Amino acid sequence: MGAARVDLRELCALGGFFALRTSQDGTPPSGDGWPDDGDGRSGGGEGRSGGGETGAPLARLYAGDLTPLTLRVDIVVARHTPPERRVAASIAQLGLAARLWSIALGAAALCGGVPALDPERLHWSPGRTAPDDLWLDTGTGTGARLLPATAESIRETVQYAHLVPLADALRRDTPVSRRLLWGNAGSALAGAVRQLDEWARGAGHGDVAERAAVLAAELFAHPDLSGTVHGPGMRRNTCCLYYRAPRGGLCGDCVFDRPPGRPAN
């Protein structure tokens, strides 16, 4: 019997950060979000930037080819003009971490399984934004290969397979502290939980919200994520440095009440 599979188009209902395009033949999916399924439907290209990029497997980045990561950080530098490159590196890592957590946690809570986001099959286009930045080569069959809907599956497929090597790669491109990067990872996970909770309760699926909360609590018990957020609102205990960009500010879950160095009103 083959491995269980899941149709990731179900995640589109949760928003662009949860969506993941797929391909069965190793070629980039057609359309602006979802592959053409033969009835004229395609996903929305919300937030799309750049063009003509097919992306490359994240495994190449983790193996030492920093070209896509350097490009992504350069794009963030150009967009936000921060005084230090590490600010852009932090913003870039936070965005990709949010995508990975959202896909895995959303699938576990909504679809009953975690898609196997193998770095060799998960392609990243650094010049694009959600949902068109990532696509998964599922190989033969319909839908993505499914892992059990457990915190351990999410930890293996996101934290160990992606976030750990991503942090190593990022630190080769730009000096940035591991504590900040794990703080970003915790913030990204908390953001995925909040968005899932908001959608689930609004759609009358309280069971989805409950599953997401239970899974997240187990994930936050890991030493690398423990203490990255606190309280019922999951406010983070570090700062992503976005406030240091000229047009930046504080994120909604920031550890600071006001940007450091600025007087209170």
Side-chain angles (χ1 to χ4, degrees), residues 6-12 15-23 29 33-35 99-100 102-104 107 115-118 121-124 130-138 144:
V6 62
D7 186 345
L8 293 176
R9 282 176 290 191
E10 292 184 53
L11 298 180
C12 197
F17 264 73
F18 293 82
L20 179 63
R21 300 177 298 154
T22 61
S23 170
W34 295 111
R99 288 285 281 129
L100 294 165
S102 296
I103 293 166
L117 303 176
D118 301 328
R121 292 182 175 273
L122 187 61
H123 293 65
W124 183 44
D132 293 328
D133 55 337
L134 293 175
W135 64 273
L136 182 68
D137 176 8
T138 62

Side-chain angles (χ1 to χ4, degrees), residues 22-121:
T22 61
S23 170
Q24 296 181 25
D25 59 6
T27 60
S30 61
D32 283 336
W34 295 111
D36 186 349
D37 57 10
D39 64 359
R41 292 179 297 178
S42 64
E46 63 190 83
R48 181 172 178 169
S49 65
E53 297 178 52
T54 60
L58 279 163
R60 294 185 191 174
L61 168 62
Y62 304 153
D65 181 1
L66 299 182
T67 303
L69 184 59
T70 299
L71 172 60
R72 181 60 188 164
V73 176
D74 287 345
I75 290 173
V76 179
V77 168
R79 183 175 300 160
H80 296 288
T81 62
E84 303 163 278
R85 186 173 176 82
R86 68 186 181 113
V87 178
S90 171
I91 295 171
Q93 183 256 2
L94 178 57
L96 187 52
R99 288 285 281 129
L100 294 165
W101 284 130
S102 296
I103 293 166
L105 184 64
L110 181 63
C111 306
V114 178
L117 303 176
D118 301 328
E120 295 81 5
R121 292 182 175 273

